[in-house]
Amino acid sequence: MRETILKIEKNERLLDALKRDGKEMLPTRCIINKTLTGIGATYCELTSNRDSIIVEPNVPVIEGKVKKHKNQVLGVYAGITGQDIERYLQKHKTRRKIIVTPESFQRMKETLQELGIDIYNEFFLLFDECEKLVQDIDYRETIELPMKDFFLFRNKAMVSATPLIASDPRFEEQGFTMLRIVPNFIYHKKIKLIVTNNILESFLEEAEKSPANICVFCNSIDTFESIFCELPFEMQKQVTTFCSENSMDKLTYIHSKNFKRKASSFIGKLSRINFFTSRFYSAVDIEPSRPPHVIILSDMQGAPQSAIDPATEAIQIVGRFRNGVKSITHISSIKEDLEYYTEGASQLYLEGSLRAIETIRNLYNRAMSEGEKGTYLQALLGISENQYLNEDGTRNEYKIANFYNDQRVKGLYTDANKLLAAYQAVPSFKVDFQPRNYLFSDNDRLARQRAKTRKWRAELLLRQLEKISHLRFTDDPRKKEFYERQTSRLLHTPFDNTLFDCYRLKGADYLRSINFRESEMLRSLKRKSVQQLKKCPAVTHGIHKLLETGKEYTVTEVSTVLTNVYKKNGIPVNKRVSATEIDNYFETSSKRNRKERSILIVNRKQTIYKSCRKIKREA
């Protein structure tokens, strides 16, 4: 593809540079490599004197553009009907601007054609953030849907600051050129690259020394949750998670009434710590009141899919902040045994797979009996490499490009030096490399979190406590502080604290000999269980006093009463008390309305227990 270069000066917009080159609008049959984010490529098209259709990869981008260009731009995505499109077109006879997701493109096209509009000749088609075609097609095949029509438009272009172009022969057939925007000034930004065996510890270190807002980006909602559950409670309250509505089901405490987890599918007011999933990487404008600290996470032990490409995704993430950033940090682990293909091996693998598919297809076509045909057809349908083909059996160049790109990025995360070299090769960044290793690793945290039984989790917790036990009686203030910080990271529940206290009193061998039975641990510590504390008169009378028989309360109100009474009487509370525990104190009846389930208090349950004072004295 022939390449032309257009220089851009500092503080210039793309339209300024185009006008100096004699162009009033974006050129047609062109892939625009704008190099810099935020220089107004889509703005250039939205304000141009022609009808335009702009394909944007994600809904938040469209919502942001529509909000900025009130009443002038129509956003088309799920929920926008043909009637909405028709009303917009009736109101706007010229300079019609439609921004659409790939999935809604076909529906929009059919509506326009039903109205007698020749979209291929009347509209300019722009595919924004075109690298997403290659990056996302492996899990989002629908992103390619507009490409069936893209080459039918008389005037069209693609644009991105980080384009990845598939070897689609139609680019060459239609004489496409590459327009590369070259900044005529120094534009790189400093980035701290932390390669570590514990992304949680590195993240906490960075977060604790950053007073400004922190915006954290990661490809994995599971990684965000793994980290969130390890944060101190006060820090958890400072977190907002921005993700798709589908991902919200994975968020811890999202439905809790005592601790309302902050989450949203669109960008609103930022908190001190903000988690962003990949749907916010490209094209979205994030405009906090002050430049934030940006942290990128690649959790290769817990979620290998969280690998970030320094040449594309890292640039796009930083580019979301139109008013600049205070600092950029990429925290990553390394997975030396991550399987991937080198460039040469990728080519051999793919070509071999495609040849095998072609062989089976030929056997299917020559089969003489239904039995043969059926067997060959099952083989064809079962071959995973079919993902690199179109429905008609031709090569899908976008899926093939995705395979090569995916293997390239995976390879970077098998060696810290490879990842460093990849960043050093990107003109957008100047790298400060900081390797960090900790006593505990990501694998230690993940093993504890993923333990399927409480006994196995207790064993893992004990092993980690043993690992730092030599620091318990140190005179070194720094080592003592490290010991206290690590133990606070490890202990999350009353059971954890009981195990820790018993370990310090009786030792590891004793805990293993009793199979980590909580009752034995409590007996050795001469404590009464939490359940016994809940049954003492002060607690019972306190709850009876606050909740009246014959009255109806919401689940939230019941939970709040139980939580406050438990805390007042020194009973450990993990976040909040479930409203179902009210059945220990009353006979109840449940009701449900549209807003929230309610509980009717029927009768008190009368039982005589030891006094709380006696139980506490025994504890």
Side-chain angles (χ1 to χ4, degrees):
M1 190 181 296
R2 185 171 60 87
E3 181 179 277
T4 58
I5 290 176
L6 177 63
K7 290 192 176 182
I8 190 169
E9 302 296 331
K10 193 170 186 179
N11 298 323
E12 263 192 337
R13 305 284 283 172
L14 178 58
L15 186 56
D16 301 324
L18 289 170
K19 285 182 176 180
R20 279 194 289 100
D21 199 45
K23 300 179 180 69
E24 293 296 321
M25 294 180 284
L26 297 178
T28 186
R29 299 191 181 188
C30 184
I31 297 172
I32 304 166
N33 179 355
K34 60 183 183 176
T35 306
L36 302 171
T37 58
I39 58 174
T42 51
Y43 176 84
C44 181
E45 190 54 41
L46 287 171
T47 56
S48 66
N49 189 27
R50 63 185 173 193
D51 295 338
S52 310
I53 296 171
I54 302 174
V55 180
E56 290 287 359
N58 294 310
V59 173
V61 183
I62 299 177
E63 292 174 332
K65 303 291 184 189
V66 170
K67 187 176 180 180
K68 279 190 175 182
H69 299 267
K70 290 181 180 178
N71 304 318
Q72 300 302 312
V73 175
L74 175 67
V76 181
Y77 42 87
I80 303 299
T81 66
Q83 291 179 331
D84 295 325
I85 298 172
E86 187 174 351
R87 278 195 294 268
Y88 172 81
L89 295 173
Q90 288 173 348
K91 188 176 179 181
H92 297 81
K93 302 298 183 182
T94 60
R95 294 181 62 171
R96 297 168 290 185
K97 306 294 179 180
I98 301 174
I99 314 180
V100 60
T101 60
E103 290 77 8
S104 294
F105 182 89
Q106 185 68 23
R107 179 163 51 86
M108 175 218 67
K109 181 190 78 170
E110 290 172 356
T111 301
L112 267 60
Q113 289 177 333
E114 287 172 1
L115 295 171
I117 296 173
D118 180 4
I119 65 167
Y120 299 129
N121 289 304
E122 293 184 32
F123 280 82
F124 181 92
L125 179 61
L126 178 67
F127 204 118
D128 195 19
E129 308 302 342
C130 60
E131 79 281 355
K132 288 293 183 182
L133 264 171
V134 171
Q135 287 179 331
D136 293 359
I137 196 171
D138 57 336
Y139 67 89
R140 183 187 176 190
E141 290 191 4
T142 51
I143 198 169
E144 191 196 6
L145 292 176
M147 296 309 295
K148 296 177 181 178
D149 296 279
F150 180 81
F151 291 99
L152 298 177
F153 280 77
R154 183 177 64 184
N155 296 306
K156 64 268 187 177
M158 289 184 169
V159 64
S160 177
T162 57
L164 294 171
I165 307 303
S167 299
D168 192 324
R170 292 173 292 185
F171 287 120
E172 186 175 348
E173 291 167 5
Q174 297 198 7
F176 268 70
T177 60
M178 174 75 75
L179 175 61
R180 185 160 63 92
I181 310 301
V182 177
N184 201 23
F185 56 91
I186 297 173
Y187 63 96
H188 66 243
K189 296 180 175 66
K190 292 181 180 179
I191 185 169
K192 186 191 301 180
L193 175 60
I194 300 173
V195 175
T196 178
N197 67 336
N198 191 323
I199 62 168
L200 172 65
E201 284 296 332
S202 293
F203 168 74
L204 286 169
E205 284 183 10
E206 295 301 307
E208 287 167 357
K209 64 186 180 186
S210 302
N213 287 357
I214 300 168
C215 293
V216 191
F217 293 81
C218 183
N219 277 344
S220 170
I221 192 71
D222 292 326
T223 293
F224 277 147
E225 284 312 281
S226 176
I227 287 176
F228 178 86
C229 291
E230 299 282 336
L231 298 179
F233 181 58
E234 289 305 311
M235 187 176 284
Q236 286 181 341
K237 293 193 291 186
Q238 299 173 357
V239 173
T240 296
T241 303
F242 297 98
C243 62
S244 68
E245 291 184 4
N246 290 336
S247 294
M248 286 189 190
D249 290 337
K250 294 186 175 183
L251 301 185
T252 310
Y253 313 127
I254 189 65
H255 300 300
S256 168
K257 304 300 181 183
N258 193 47
F259 170 36
K260 184 64 176 177
R261 175 80 179 272
K262 289 179 284 186
S264 177
S265 59
F266 62 92
I267 299 176
K269 184 178 180 181
L270 298 186
S271 300
R272 179 172 177 267
I273 300 173
N274 306 275
F275 290 163
F276 294 93
T277 56
S278 58
R279 78 195 306 251
F280 299 98
Y281 285 9
S282 298
V284 181
D285 293 344
I286 305 176
E287 299 175 344
S289 57
R290 291 181 297 174
H293 295 276
V294 173
I295 297 178
I296 302 168
L297 296 178
S298 293
D299 177 17
M300 301 310 295
Q301 301 300 327
Q305 72 272 20
S306 63
I308 291 287
D309 183 6
T312 58
E313 292 168 303
I315 295 171
Q316 291 288 351
I317 287 169
V318 177
R320 296 312 95 227
F321 300 92
R322 301 313 193 196
N323 300 321
V325 299
K326 199 168 187 66
S327 69
I328 312 164
T329 303
H330 185 175
I331 301 172
S332 177
S333 50
I334 292 294
K335 191 172 177 62
E336 295 178 358
D337 60 350
L338 183 66
E339 294 184 0
Y340 77 101
Y341 291 105
T342 62
E343 184 176 355
S346 293
Q347 185 174 355
L348 290 173
Y349 171 80
L350 196 58
E351 289 177 353
S353 299
L354 295 174
R355 280 197 304 271
I357 293 170
E358 186 63 26
T359 298
I360 298 174
R361 183 180 288 109
N362 289 336
L363 290 170
Y364 169 78
N365 291 333
R366 294 198 301 267
M368 302 299 291
S369 70
E370 289 301 316
E372 282 183 284
K373 279 185 173 292
T375 302
Y376 288 136
L377 180 59
Q378 287 180 5
L380 281 171
L381 294 175
I383 296 174
S384 61
E385 282 69 28
N386 261 319
Q387 64 183 305
Y388 306 120
L389 300 177
N390 294 308
E391 290 180 359
D392 61 2
T394 57
R395 289 163 58 101
N396 186 309
E397 297 297 342
Y398 298 92
K399 293 180 180 180
I400 290 171
N402 170 273
F403 173 75
Y404 284 125
N405 185 66
D406 187 50
Q407 299 306 311
R408 175 184 63 83
V409 175
K410 281 182 179 178
L412 301 179
Y413 287 83
T414 60
D415 187 307
N417 291 323
K418 288 182 180 179
L419 184 58
L420 174 60
Y423 265 111
Q424 290 173 333
V426 177
S428 299
F429 296 119
K430 184 177 181 182
V431 190
D432 175 17
F433 181 51
Q434 295 186 14
R436 295 183 188 175
N437 280 300
Y438 301 88
L439 185 62
F440 295 125
S441 70
D442 290 320
N443 286 330
D444 291 322
R445 167 176 53 86
L446 293 168
R448 199 173 66 250
Q449 290 179 343
R450 294 172 179 176
K452 293 183 178 180
T453 65
R454 187 163 78 164
K455 179 181 176 182
W456 180 235
R457 184 182 178 279
E459 174 62 40
L460 294 171
L461 175 59
L462 179 58
R463 291 180 188 180
Q464 292 172 30
L465 291 172
E466 288 179 296
K467 204 170 183 178
I468 57 172
S469 62
H470 64 285
L471 299 174
R472 180 181 172 188
F473 300 106
T474 181
D475 293 327
D476 187 329
R478 293 179 61 185
K479 290 181 179 179
K480 192 174 187 62
E481 190 273 334
F482 171 79
Y483 175 77
E484 291 172 354
R485 186 174 70 249
Q486 291 301 317
T487 52
S488 68
R489 296 264 203 275
L490 294 173
L491 308 177
H492 295 282
T493 67
F495 177 83
D496 294 345
N497 284 284
T498 298
L499 183 146
F500 177 59
D501 291 343
C502 192
Y503 165 63
R504 292 200 298 182
L505 178 67
K506 306 283 284 186
D509 290 341
Y510 173 77
L511 286 170
R512 292 188 176 103
S513 71
I514 62 171
N515 283 321
F516 302 100
R517 288 193 298 275
E518 186 174 19
S519 59
E520 293 297 328
M521 286 191 278
L522 290 168
R523 188 174 292 112
S524 70
L525 294 169
K526 296 185 179 179
R527 290 180 182 168
K528 296 297 180 182
S529 70
V530 170
Q531 290 304 317
Q532 287 177 293
L533 286 172
K534 289 178 181 179
K535 294 176 182 178
C536 71
V539 174
T540 304
H541 294 159
I543 294 171
H544 284 172
K545 185 178 180 181
L546 294 172
L547 299 175
E548 299 178 29
T549 57
K551 290 192 67 173
E552 192 175 307
Y553 299 90
T554 66
V555 168
T556 301
E557 290 171 333
V558 171
S559 176
T560 301
V561 167
L562 292 172
T563 301
N564 291 337
V565 172
Y566 283 4
K567 285 182 177 179
K568 183 178 179 180
N569 286 276
I571 299 173
V573 173
N574 187 22
K575 303 294 186 299
R576 73 181 183 95
V577 178
S578 171
T580 59
E581 292 198 21
I582 194 63
D583 292 335
N584 294 327
Y585 307 96
F586 292 99
E587 294 176 5
T588 64
S589 175
S590 294
K591 293 185 178 181
R592 182 177 294 275
N593 56 34
R594 290 184 179 180
K595 292 184 179 180
E596 187 179 1
R597 188 168 65 88
S598 62
I599 297 174
L600 173 66
I601 305 298
V602 180
N603 284 311
R604 293 181 180 181
K605 287 184 178 179
Q606 300 290 346
T607 313
I608 300 174
Y609 302 106
K610 290 183 180 180
S611 71
C612 290
R613 184 177 300 175
K614 185 174 181 181
I615 290 176
K616 288 179 182 177
R617 187 168 61 248
E618 290 175 350

